[in-house]
Amino acid sequence: MLRRQRAGDETFLDDLVTADMVNHAAGPQGREGLRAILRTIDDDLGPVELEQHHLIGEGDLVVQHVTLHGTHRASTMPLLADSPVTGRPAAWTFIHIWRVADGMLVEHWACRDDMGLLEQLRPS
């Protein structure tokens, strides 16, 4: 997935996420909502690299513990709305829980270290 996303393949989510995926985390719903979220993250912190710490699957759930690494290039996401662009490296850690049905992602929950990200970007 990440390889296709980095290559600019706008269709990579079509094979992985249902059109009506329920996003229990903040943000827009469905496949197009997730596409918009990923685009915004890439605009603000990209290009991003994903460091995966843990990947656990049980039943129909998959849990990811990841850190996104990038550079603060813009502040368009609500979390960064009042942050001046710093150009600094940034690391943002998440725990994602995905529910899978018929090989597709149908639900999503997330826990993010927003305070850790903001602390890195705080003006000196």
Side-chain angles (χ1 to χ4, degrees):
M1 174 178 100
L2 196 56
R3 191 174 323 131
R4 287 176 60 189
Q5 181 182 8
R6 277 192 214 131
D9 181 351
E10 290 284 327
T11 67
F12 75 98
L13 291 178
D14 299 347
D15 299 332
L16 302 168
V17 180
T18 60
D20 60 348
M21 180 199 73
V22 177
N23 185 3
H24 298 282
Q29 297 296 306
R31 180 189 307 136
E32 293 311 311
L34 182 57
R35 194 180 321 272
I37 290 167
L38 294 175
R39 205 175 288 128
T40 300
I41 290 171
D42 194 54
D43 289 346
D44 285 7
L45 301 175
V48 296
E49 291 293 325
L50 184 69
E51 177 185 3
Q52 186 157 277
H53 307 290
H54 303 96
L55 182 64
I56 302 164
E58 182 176 321
D60 62 352
L61 298 177
V62 176
V63 178
Q64 282 182 300
H65 174 208
V66 297
T67 300
L68 281 173
H69 297 275
T71 302
H72 184 205
R73 303 182 313 171
S75 292
T76 62
M77 69 177 79
L79 176 63
L80 300 179
D82 296 326
S83 302
V85 175
T86 66
R88 289 187 190 147
W92 196 9
T93 301
F94 297 80
I95 294 174
H96 293 288
I97 302 172
W98 304 94
R99 188 169 70 81
V100 180
D102 297 322
M104 301 285 280
L105 301 174
V106 296
E107 280 187 277
H108 171 251
W109 296 263
C111 180
R112 312 178 316 206
D113 183 9
D114 292 350
M115 294 305 293
L117 176 64
L118 292 173
E119 181 65 28
Q120 295 169 65
L121 303 180
R122 183 177 304 176
S124 304

